[in-house]
Structure formats: structure tokens, C-alpha cells
Amino acid sequence: MTTLSAAAAGVPSTPAQASRLRQRIASARPPLPGLLVGAVAWGLLMAAAALLGLYLRFRLQTAHLQELMLLYFAGGLLAWLVAVPVGRFLAFRRSPETRFAAFFLTLTCATILATAFLFAMQYRLFYSQWHQPFGTRIWVLQFLFTSASATYQFLVLGIRLYLPLGLVFLIAASVFLARRMR
């Protein structure tokens, strides 16, 4: 493989580049206890943000409050487990502003995507009783369209519950993670 084609494929072409990539990957792995504590804390913060959002919009008038809190907690928990290592990988040896942006972006995307995924799977589970048997062509289409419609519904209705408190938590967590990674 030539140097040009190796660089285009994302493969390190020199030993120094390979060493930097190994250092970047090694720095992306946070200590496991801190990662787990952070995941639980982020899950609780996202549930609290959703709770405030529900209170401000509907005065908590919902029959599914506990399920919603569990959904937002689990989405936050899963998101932290993915976002922090990816953010650390992207922020390796960068300026404080870039580290903040990396964590802000990864936490935002991971939190929304993880919670939307869990919402879509719950939605799919409910509608599966009317779907065709597993593995058939119709089942695949039903699975895809049910999941896509649930994700769209979450993006339209569910993201609003993160505001206003979720944005404050997101900024604070991004600042905390950016300062902590030096």
C-alpha cells in the first residue's frame, strides 16, 4: 500500500503516526469507576431535566411518569458510556475550546440517539404483537418503519423535555470533562 493510499484509507503510514494513534486510543479509555459513576449521574441528570420539562409543560399530568423517567435515565446512562470515550478520543491533545466542543457534541448526539433508540425499541415492542413473524420480509419492513416513526416522534416531541435544564447540564458536563482532560 502506498503512502498516499494508506493515508486516504486512514491507516497510519509511519511509525510515529501509529504511535500517536495508539496514544490517542489509550487516552480515550477513561477509568472504569469514574465512567460508571458519571454514567449514573448523567442518567439521573437527564431524568431530572425531563421531569422538569414535563412539569413545565404538563404539570406532570401523565400516566407514564415512571416509564418516562426510566427511559430518560437509561438513555443518559448509555449515552455517557459512549460519549465520554469518543469525546476523549476527539479531544486528545487539543485546546480547551476544542475539548469543550468535542464533549458538547458527543454528549448531545449520544444522549439524543440513545434515548431515541430506547424509545423506538419500546415502541416496537408494543406494536410487535400486530407484526408478522420474526425474520420475514414484511417483518423487516415493519421493524424499520416502526422504528423510524418512533424515532421521528421522539425527535419531535421528546427532545423538548430536555429543555431548559438539560442544556445547562450539558454545558456544565462539557466544561467539567474538558477541564478534567488535560
Side-chain angles (χ1 to χ4, degrees):
M1 186 181 283
T2 66
T3 305
L4 182 58
S5 63
V11 177
S13 59
T14 65
Q17 287 176 332
S19 175
R20 281 193 298 269
L21 181 61
R22 281 193 295 275
Q23 289 174 349
R24 181 179 287 255
I25 291 171
S27 77
R29 285 184 286 153
L32 187 59
L35 183 67
L36 295 177
V37 168
V40 171
W42 187 247
L44 289 171
L45 290 173
M46 292 302 95
L51 185 65
L52 179 66
L54 280 169
Y55 176 75
L56 292 175
R57 285 164 185 78
F58 309 111
R59 300 288 185 240
L60 300 178
Q61 298 297 317
T62 177
H64 303 286
L65 183 62
Q66 290 151 340
E67 291 90 350
L68 285 169
M69 291 305 97
L70 182 60
L71 174 74
Y72 280 82
F73 170 77
L77 185 123
L78 291 176
W80 186 271
L81 295 174
V82 172
V84 170
V86 173
R88 288 173 60 98
F89 180 83
L90 295 174
F92 181 68
R93 291 189 180 165
R94 302 286 186 209
S95 67
E97 298 84 9
T98 305
R99 291 194 307 262
F100 170 81
F103 288 116
F104 189 89
L105 178 67
T106 56
L107 273 175
T108 300
C109 292
T111 301
I112 291 170
L113 291 174
T115 311
F117 172 76
L118 293 174
F119 180 78
M121 292 302 101
Q122 189 279 331
Y123 200 87
R124 162 73 183 105
L125 187 62
F126 174 77
Y127 283 104
S128 67
Q129 59 189 326
W130 296 290
H131 286 189
Q132 295 297 311
F134 174 77
T136 62
R137 181 184 289 170
I138 299 295
W139 177 88
V140 170
L141 290 173
Q142 290 170 330
F143 179 81
L144 290 174
F145 283 99
T146 302
S147 299
S149 63
T151 302
Y152 173 77
Q153 184 178 359
F154 176 79
L155 293 175
V156 170
L157 300 173
I159 288 180
R160 294 186 299 177
L161 296 182
Y162 286 124
L163 299 174
L165 198 54
L167 183 59
V168 173
F169 291 150
L170 178 62
I171 292 169
S174 298
V175 168
F176 171 77
L177 290 168
R179 283 186 178 166
R180 197 156 174 227
M181 184 180 178
R182 296 183 189 249

